[in-house]
Amino acid sequence: MLRPKLPDIPTPPTTTVTPRQTQAPASSASRPVVPYVGVGVGAVAAVVVVGIVLTALLAAVAVSAVSVAVAAVVLRSLLSSAHRR
């Protein structure tokens, strides 16, 4: 008498869900994918080679600048000591 009466739990209807196809199937008559991958690898290799070459050139310029600076200091030292005598 003091217990509340709970409603019966309804059972959900059973439906089967079929997955929808979002992409069209690839046709075998289309262009092959392999040459595009080859172009991508070649482009990456070219970028890496160009980066290495530019880094080597930058290092060569830096070494040249340091050697010119050292030569300038040595020449200045030699010329200033020659004027003192």
Side-chain angles (χ1 to χ4, degrees):
M1 184 167 165
L2 295 175
R3 286 187 172 175
K5 208 172 195 189
L6 297 174
D8 293 332
I9 299 174
T11 58
T14 57
T15 58
T16 57
V17 177
T18 58
R20 294 184 183 171
Q21 188 174 5
T22 57
Q23 293 180 343
S27 65
S28 61
S30 67
R31 290 187 269 176
V33 179
V34 175
Y36 294 117
V37 173
V39 169
V41 171
V44 169
V47 167
V48 168
V49 168
V50 168
I52 291 172
V53 169
L54 289 178
T55 304
L57 287 175
L58 182 64
V61 168
V63 168
S64 300
V66 169
S67 65
V68 167
V70 168
V73 168
V74 169
L75 285 175
R76 184 176 176 188
S77 172
L78 289 175
L79 289 175
S80 66
S81 66
H83 286 291
R84 288 184 193 166
R85 291 184 188 176

